[in-house]
């Protein structure tokens, strides 16, 4: 904590935490229905993200008839998606499912990718784990999209069995449509 004493013996205390100032940007308009829409799957290349995303897609397709499912993979889970990749996804899809946020940098990057797509009008569901739900709130607040609700699944993801992958996918299948529809 920094302090300053003035000539009048007044003490000024400076708060080292600072202040986060951001304008709250609304999320993209939500569709009325999901059938017939094009779904983008954005894999952040984290261990087991592909397995969870593919299993989640299969589970979602049991109740939703997507027009098309397009797969994309980021080069690094600890970096935001390249602007060109975000633009390509936005141009060719109506919805996004991205994963996985189960650690520090990958969680914030998943949310930042979703925010970038939401700003381009694409409803996005970012899959994060229970251990990083609070970090997600901070990230959404700091970058100004508090209305972006993630799809929260059980932690961990990187070391789970095939049965646990299926259980996580069932969580995604029940929660992602609510995020996309704004319910």
């Amino acid at each position: 904590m920094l302090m300053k004493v003035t000539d009048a013996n007044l003490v000024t205390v400076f708060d080292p935490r600072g202040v986060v100032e951001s304008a709250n940007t609304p999320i993209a308009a939500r569709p009325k229905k999901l059938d017939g829409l094009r779904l983008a799957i954005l894999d952040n290349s984290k261990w087991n993200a592909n397995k969870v995303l593919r299993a989640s897609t299969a589970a979602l397709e049991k109740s939703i008839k997507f027009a098309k499912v397009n797969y994309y993979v980021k080069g690094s889970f600890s970096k935001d998606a390249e602007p060109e990749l975000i633009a390509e996804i936005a141009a060719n899809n109506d919805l996004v499912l991205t994963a996985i946020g189960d650690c520090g940098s990958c969680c914030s990057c998943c949310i930042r990718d979703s925010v970038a797509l939401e700003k381009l009008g694409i409803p996005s569901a970012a899959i994060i784990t229970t251990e990083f739900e609070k970090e997600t709130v901070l990230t959404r607040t700091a970058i100004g999209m508090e209305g972006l609700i993630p799809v929260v699944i059980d932690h961990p993801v990187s070391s789970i069995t095939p049965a646990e992958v299926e259980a996580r996918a069932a969580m995604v299948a029940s929660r992602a449509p609510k995020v996309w529809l704004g319910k």
Side-chain angles (χ1 to χ4, degrees):
M1 185 93 39
L2 297 174
M3 294 190 310
K4 173 181 162 185
V5 179
T6 66
D7 291 336
N9 286 327
L10 296 173
V11 176
T12 303
V13 179
F14 298 95
D15 186 346
R17 295 174 296 181
V19 176
V20 174
E21 293 180 13
S22 65
N24 192 31
T25 303
I27 59 174
R30 287 345 212 197
K32 300 282 187 233
K33 63 182 184 77
L34 300 175
D35 287 330
L37 298 181
R38 300 166 297 165
L39 174 64
I41 303 297
L42 178 55
D43 178 346
N44 70 351
S45 71
K46 187 108 192 241
W47 184 257
N48 278 343
N50 185 304
K51 291 177 185 176
V52 169
L53 285 166
R54 290 195 181 271
S56 297
T57 302
L60 285 161
E61 287 181 315
K62 290 178 182 175
S63 61
I64 303 168
K65 305 295 180 223
F66 296 110
K68 189 170 185 181
V69 178
N70 297 306
Y71 288 86
Y72 304 88
V73 181
K74 285 175 41 170
S76 173
F77 58 82
S78 64
K79 294 181 180 177
D80 294 354
E82 295 292 329
E84 298 82 12
L85 179 57
I86 294 293
E88 180 182 341
I89 292 170
N92 297 305
N93 298 279
D94 306 302
L95 304 168
V96 174
L97 180 64
T98 185
I100 185 73
D102 70 343
C103 196
S105 62
C106 61
C107 183
S108 59
C109 290
C110 260
I111 296 300
R112 292 176 67 82
D113 293 341
S114 291
V115 166
L117 287 156
E118 290 276 346
K119 286 180 176 180
L120 294 174
I122 308 299
S124 302
I127 303 170
I128 62 148
T129 64
T130 51
E131 293 297 310
F132 293 90
E133 195 168 1
K134 288 182 183 174
E135 178 184 297
T136 301
V137 172
L138 294 173
T139 302
R140 294 181 337 221
T141 301
I143 59 179
M145 194 171 281
E146 294 179 34
L148 179 67
I149 306 301
V151 175
V152 182
I153 63 172
D154 292 341
H155 187 81
V157 171
S158 62
S159 59
I160 57 178
T161 66
E164 291 169 317
V165 168
E166 292 301 321
R168 303 302 193 278
M171 290 177 188
V172 172
S174 71
R175 297 171 185 167
K178 293 174 186 171
V179 169
W180 290 323
L181 294 169
K183 296 185 178 186

